[in-house]
Amino acid sequence: MEVVARHLGDVKFEVVARGHRVICDQPAEHGGSDTGITPPEFMLGALATCAGYYAAEYLKARGLSTEGLAVRASAEKALQPTRLGSFQIDVTTAPLEARHHDGVLRAVKNCLIHNTLLHAPKIEIVVNPVALAA
């Protein structure tokens, strides 16, 4: 799995994954032109859509309605080091019996992004300078 982020100028980047392109930018108050979502918003989007995927798969596998399924992911910033310090995932579904409510909760807890955040991965950072054309 891989994405590539290419700098477009100022604080704007184009993110490419499997031929799909999205723009990452900053609001004007942070030096951007607000033409895309910010990196933390991308992270929240990944968390929300991953949780939604698992919820939808649970519901579909049991013949339950996915109508109205929505996921809201929010986060609070923390300092030292600067990071997102806490997350909340709110899943909205059609009315469910208690056993399916618990089932959706269990399913969402299997989300790849959720589990990645719970179990900090190893992150290696490598800087690769390239020679510029003369």
Side-chain angles (χ1 to χ4, degrees):
M1 189 177 323
E2 177 180 280
V3 302
V4 175
R6 290 187 179 89
H7 187 238
L8 299 178
D10 295 326
V11 294
K12 186 190 305 188
F13 289 82
E14 174 188 57
V15 181
V16 180
R18 298 178 299 101
H20 303 281
R21 291 169 161 55
V22 292
I23 298 297
C24 182
D25 199 358
Q26 295 289 325
E29 63 269 18
H30 293 166
S33 54
D34 204 16
T35 59
I37 64 176
T38 66
E41 290 166 338
F42 266 116
M43 185 175 211
L44 288 173
L47 182 59
T49 56
C50 186
Y53 169 80
Y54 281 84
E57 288 299 298
Y58 175 90
L59 295 168
K60 288 189 300 183
R62 285 147 187 86
L64 300 171
S65 175
T66 58
E67 187 174 339
L69 176 61
V71 180
R72 178 182 173 271
S74 57
E76 296 293 326
K77 285 179 89 174
L79 301 174
Q80 299 178 351
T82 302
R83 67 196 183 286
L84 298 178
S86 64
F87 294 85
Q88 182 167 331
I89 302 170
D90 294 297
V91 181
T92 301
T93 65
L96 296 170
E97 296 174 18
R99 67 186 174 109
H100 292 303
H101 177 275
D102 294 343
V104 169
L105 180 59
R106 279 191 310 277
V108 169
K109 286 184 176 182
N110 283 315
C111 161
L112 175 68
I113 305 302
H114 170 258
N115 285 325
T116 299
L117 292 170
L118 287 177
H119 306 280
K122 173 185 168 199
I123 300 175
E124 180 180 348
I125 300 172
V126 178
V127 177
N128 297 305
V130 296
L132 299 176

